[in-house]
Amino acid sequence: MPQQATEKALLAANWKMNPVDGGEAVDLVRGVMPAITAATESVEVALFPPFPWLLGVAEVLEGSSIELGAQDCFWEISGAYTGEVSPAMLKGWCQWVIVGHSERRVILGETDDMVARKAAAVLTNGLSVIVCVGELEDHYDAGRSDEIVTAQVKASLANCSADDSSRLVIAYEPVWAIGSGKNADPEHAYKTMRLIRRVVSELIGAGAARKVRVLYGGSVNAANVESYVELPLCDGCLVGGASLKAEEFAKIVKVTSEVYGHR
Ligand code: PEP
């Protein structure tokens, strides 16, 4: 029996630092819009372009059901924080913010404490948040995935409460699976997503935890997406590289809508 938090699947398209050209960003949106619109009854889609393209993409999305998000934000509302962007600034045209992506944790040294502050700031400002967690390859090889993911979830949600549950999404993204073409075995993804739900239940209570969505991310493409979205307890996927190819992402949306349409 599926035990997802909502009837629709959630697909989050993380474009990372791509494309370099704003016109290409708009073309990419226009390329995926028909497939997303056709699947709107069973799939919720949020696009996460780089900051400079948010406004242009928002204009193209106006009047559509497609949602928009930022790939990061700061935890303060305003002030002397050079280079940072606050959730209050994103509120006008974004519904979502991703925090704690492993590329930020690993390359930029973001800690669980920073991620927790960001998640709380996003929620306080009325936006929805995707909090990313996942173990490194060494942890996976050493059989420490559960321990690492449990600690990350507990620390990253330290400032969240039961009231936030419907706007809180956790993306399980094993770091070794991101951008590597080595997607996780669905059985491993399932067990870890089940663990995440258990930890969230302990933190905010079972009732509220049922509303929290859990995604899988890591080398998802049109050929493997079905093996994740069909899992009980999986509410959708966070897609990186494959979301930059309009045709590929359109197929991911279509496959997901077929799985959810048959429920
Ligand atoms: C990501 O950026 O969150 C991601 C999962 O990337 P990819 O799909 O390219 O592995």
Side-chain angles (χ1 to χ4, degrees), residues 14-16 98 101-103 132 173 177-181 216-221 238-243:
N14 176 21
W15 293 2
K16 312 192 190 208
I98 294 172
H101 192 281
S102 66
E103 285 150 16
C132 301
E173 301 206 299
I178 296 181
S180 63
Y216 167 76
S219 295
V220 170
N221 58 34
L238 177 47
V239 185
S243 71

Side-chain angles (χ1 to χ4, degrees), residues 117-136:
R117 290 209 221 178
K118 290 180 178 199
V122 172
L123 293 164
T124 303
N125 280 276
L127 297 164
S128 298
V129 68
I130 298 181
V131 179
C132 301
V133 297
E135 78 282 5
L136 299 171

Side-chain angles (χ1 to χ4, degrees), residues 65-82:
S65 59
I66 304 169
E67 295 161 5
L68 187 62
Q71 299 170 17
D72 183 41
C73 71
F74 196 53
W75 53 80
E76 297 290 351
I77 299 307
S78 64
Y81 304 104
T82 302

Side-chain angles (χ1 to χ4, degrees), residues 34-231:
I36 300 174
T37 308
T40 195
E41 276 190 23
S42 50
V43 187
E44 178 182 353
V45 176
L47 305 180
F48 295 81
F51 284 120
W53 312 147
L54 281 173
L55 206 45
V57 171
E59 276 167 15
V60 181
L61 294 184
E62 209 174 325
S64 82
S65 59
I66 304 169
E67 295 161 5
L68 187 62
Q71 299 170 17
D72 183 41
C73 71
F74 196 53
W75 53 80
E76 297 290 351
I77 299 307
S78 64
Y81 304 104
T82 302
E84 295 295 339
V85 175
S86 90
M89 294 168 178
L90 297 168
K91 210 154 101 175
W93 57 85
C94 287
Q95 294 81 41
W96 291 92
V97 184
I98 294 172
V99 300
H101 192 281
S102 66
E103 285 150 16
R104 299 200 61 83
R105 292 179 186 263
V106 173
I107 303 169
L108 297 160
E110 270 190 20
T111 62
D112 281 334
D113 176 58
M114 292 159 86
V115 175
R117 290 209 221 178
K118 290 180 178 199
V122 172
L123 293 164
T124 303
N125 280 276
L127 297 164
S128 298
V129 68
I130 298 181
V131 179
C132 301
V133 297
E135 78 282 5
L136 299 171
E137 188 152 32
D138 286 354
H139 297 139
Y140 177 72
D141 290 344
R144 294 181 59 205
S145 304
D146 286 6
E147 171 204 336
I148 299 294
V149 170
T150 299
Q152 280 182 343
V153 172
K154 283 186 177 166
S156 305
L157 303 193
N159 307 325
C160 297
S161 75
D163 296 341
D164 302 320
S165 53
S166 60
R167 289 184 294 120
L168 177 58
V169 175
I170 300 174
Y172 169 53
E173 301 206 299
V175 179
W176 46 271
I178 296 181
S180 63
K182 281 196 297 182
N183 57 302
D185 174 42
E187 178 72 12
H188 171 74
Y190 171 72
K191 285 188 179 151
T192 314
M193 289 191 281
R194 189 177 58 188
L195 169 78
I196 290 172
R197 290 194 178 276
R198 218 179 296 137
V199 176
V200 174
S201 281
E202 284 164 20
L203 290 173
I204 63 171
R210 270 194 280 279
K211 293 188 220 152
V212 174
R213 287 179 278 180
V214 182
L215 310 182
Y216 167 76
S219 295
V220 170
N221 58 34
N224 64 30
V225 65
E226 184 173 356
S227 65
Y228 301 107
V229 293
E230 71 181 9
L231 293 173

